[in-house]
Amino acid sequence: MSDGKTGLQLRSLLKKSGELELSLVNVPTPEPADDEVVVRVEATPINPSDLGLLIGAADMSAAQASGTKDAPVITAKMPEGAMRMMAARFDQSLPVGNEGAGTVIRTGSSDAAKALMGKTVSMIGGAMYTQYRVLKVRDVMELPAGTTAADGASWFVNPLTALGMTETMRRENHKALVHTAAASNLGQMLNKICIKDGIGLVNIVRSKEQADILHKIGAKHVVDSSAASFMDDLTNALVETGATIAFDAIGGGKLASQILTAMEIAANKTAKEYSRYGSNVYKQVYIYGSLDTRPTELNRSFGLSWGVGGWLLTPFLQKIGPAEIGRLRQRVASELKTTFASHYTKVVSLAEALDPANIAVYAKRATGEKFLINPNKS
């Protein structure tokens, strides 16, 4: 076991030439300041938000592998259209990984830091695909006794996104919500929150297999966008739940438009009087992902009382402030093994994360194919 003075870190470099290069570099571990701790990273997930920085829109099916087994290098071509959006990162070797968990192996001199020595903690702050990470005490959370690093690795992005959705729903005066790509890890968490909190939730999936995953955990309203009866099924679920806000992970194509149209039909079914401008029920779709990278198509058949916008976790947290964030974090900590449990199909080392066979699986962002990196796995 290393002394933690230096460690491997996974880097993503996009060259101005359009070549993406993924590699491992050895980096020194800084000494912790008074209010900092050094964490040996033992579990860090590969989330869609991580893939955005790691590989972006690069064509990984034609990726080339070189280097050695312990120091692999992967190169791939970034499409020209994507390059225009990424000029700010050209020729910079960037560390990857939003969140993770591990063991505190050294601390600064403050009481708060020293109290964490030897503890298993979860953490947020980027650059998690690394063996050792120095962080401020405020950016780590001690995990409850009996919780492993793997249990706590996905404590932030998905749990707080799911809670952020229900909080946004309440704050914007909606009573139920719609979620797309709903059989994902995040979607399953959202179902557990809504069941526990008594919130109506309409789940949109793309196959019977995905619907089965959600029915098994108690989801009531699950509609399949590949079914011929999709619009009728969606409208009926919206009438039953009264959902007027949606969170869409797909982004491209017609789905956001279909959701707004079905919300309008549902609103008109219960309307007391006809209005030529459409119902006066306000309908909102927030796009928070881009599983479909095509343009978002809106076929304006849903009246004039509607909105489509982007939603991201970080701005939402900034808006609600530290006290509310603390409340949400506490809920996640107390329900890590139940509501907020994550399931992984494979645990890989840093070098294995750059194995083309593994990249081919996790780059697809497929339901039920979530990878966990253990940077200290030998």
Side-chain angles (χ1 to χ4, degrees), residues 60 94 107 110 117 124 143 240 264 278 285 291 339:
M60 300 313 286
L94 299 175
T107 78
S110 74
M117 184 63 196
I124 186 75
L143 290 170
E240 274 190 56
E264 177 71 359
V285 173
L291 292 173
T339 310

Side-chain angles (χ1 to χ4, degrees), residues 162-163 166 189-197 339-340:
L163 285 172
T166 57
M189 281 178 195
L190 185 59
N191 271 280
K192 290 174 186 172
I193 292 167
C194 289
I195 290 165
K196 195 166 181 169
D197 295 2
T339 310
F340 302 108

Side-chain angles (χ1 to χ4, degrees), residues 245-305:
I245 184 171
F247 291 87
D248 177 27
I250 308 297
K254 298 187 168 100
L255 188 55
S257 191
Q258 290 174 309
I259 293 167
L260 289 169
T261 299
M263 284 177 176
E264 177 71 359
I265 296 166
N268 284 326
K269 281 191 173 186
T270 53
K272 302 281 186 285
E273 57 188 53
Y274 170 75
S275 163
R276 60 186 166 171
Y277 300 113
S279 79
N280 61 2
V281 172
Y282 184 74
K283 306 163 289 290
Q284 175 71 45
V285 173
Y286 282 120
I287 294 172
Y288 76 98
S290 52
L291 292 173
D292 184 337
T293 53
R294 292 176 301 165
T296 306
E297 294 177 50
L298 297 178
N299 173 10
R300 300 264 306 279
S301 52
F302 31 79
L304 291 170
S305 189

Side-chain angles (χ1 to χ4, degrees), residues 13-37:
L13 166 67
L14 180 59
K15 298 176 182 174
K16 212 170 184 174
S17 62
E19 184 180 77
L20 177 77
E21 181 183 284
L22 308 179
S23 63
L24 301 180
V25 296
N26 213 26
V27 294
T29 308
E31 279 304 306
D34 293 352
D35 62 341
E36 291 180 336
V37 293

Side-chain angles (χ1 to χ4, degrees), residues 36-353:
E36 291 180 336
V37 293
V38 180
V39 183
R40 183 175 64 237
V41 185
E42 291 154 354
T44 173
I46 302 178
N47 288 317
S49 52
D50 300 309
L51 289 172
L53 178 59
L54 182 68
I55 58 177
D59 180 10
M60 300 313 286
S61 63
Q64 302 287 312
S66 60
T68 64
K69 182 172 175 287
D70 295 329
V73 177
I74 300 290
T75 52
K77 191 80 184 132
M78 190 68 74
E80 241 171 82
M83 289 289 286
R84 286 194 290 275
M85 306 285 289
M86 294 184 172
R89 64 165 289 191
F90 288 168
D91 299 324
Q92 295 175 67
S93 177
L94 299 175
V96 188
N98 285 316
E99 63 183 335
T103 305
V104 175
I105 59 165
R106 285 206 302 285
T107 78
S109 58
S110 74
D111 291 343
K114 288 198 287 201
L116 292 169
M117 184 63 196
K119 299 285 174 63
T120 304
V121 297
S122 53
M123 47 195 169
I124 186 75
M128 290 297 164
Y129 298 172
T130 191
Q131 289 182 304
Y132 302 98
R133 185 75 172 84
V134 179
L135 287 157
K136 291 199 178 298
V137 169
R138 66 164 185 258
D139 294 326
V140 306
M141 180 174 74
E142 184 180 341
L143 290 170
T147 308
T148 65
D151 291 333
S154 294
W155 73 286
F156 191 89
V157 176
N158 282 349
L160 287 184
T161 298
L163 285 172
M165 290 173 178
T166 57
E167 287 289 313
T168 300
M169 176 203 80
R170 289 189 188 98
R171 283 161 183 263
E172 298 184 4
N173 298 316
H174 301 272
K175 69 170 194 174
L177 66 157
V178 179
H179 187 226
T180 71
S184 64
N185 253 299
L186 168 64
Q188 292 176 52
M189 281 178 195
L190 185 59
N191 271 280
K192 290 174 186 172
I193 292 167
C194 289
I195 290 165
K196 195 166 181 169
D197 295 2
I199 297 167
L201 173 63
V202 179
N203 297 277
I204 298 178
V205 296
R206 282 177 298 187
S207 67
K208 184 185 178 302
E209 291 74 30
Q210 291 176 349
D212 291 344
I213 290 169
L214 293 177
H215 284 310
K216 265 189 200 130
I217 61 169
K220 189 175 174 193
H221 302 284
V222 186
V223 296
D224 183 348
S225 62
S226 67
S229 58
F230 170 57
M231 284 301 284
D232 287 339
D233 299 340
L234 177 58
T235 304
N236 292 337
L238 292 169
V239 169
E240 274 190 56
T241 58
T244 47
I245 184 171
F247 291 87
D248 177 27
I250 308 297
K254 298 187 168 100
L255 188 55
S257 191
Q258 290 174 309
I259 293 167
L260 289 169
T261 299
M263 284 177 176
E264 177 71 359
I265 296 166
N268 284 326
K269 281 191 173 186
T270 53
K272 302 281 186 285
E273 57 188 53
Y274 170 75
S275 163
R276 60 186 166 171
Y277 300 113
S279 79
N280 61 2
V281 172
Y282 184 74
K283 306 163 289 290
Q284 175 71 45
V285 173
Y286 282 120
I287 294 172
Y288 76 98
S290 52
L291 292 173
D292 184 337
T293 53
R294 292 176 301 165
T296 306
E297 294 177 50
L298 297 178
N299 173 10
R300 300 264 306 279
S301 52
F302 31 79
L304 291 170
S305 189
W306 56 274
V308 175
W311 190 94
L312 270 176
L313 177 59
T314 305
F316 167 75
L317 294 176
Q318 286 165 345
K319 197 191 303 182
I320 66 171
E324 282 295 288
I325 294 170
R327 182 177 66 81
L328 298 182
R329 278 172 63 149
Q330 225 18 73
R331 177 168 182 184
V332 175
S334 62
E335 298 176 38
L336 259 180
K337 291 190 171 188
T338 51
T339 310
F340 302 108
S342 282
H343 307 284
Y344 306 100
T345 43
K346 198 166 187 181
V347 179
V348 294
S349 67
L350 285 171
E352 289 165 344

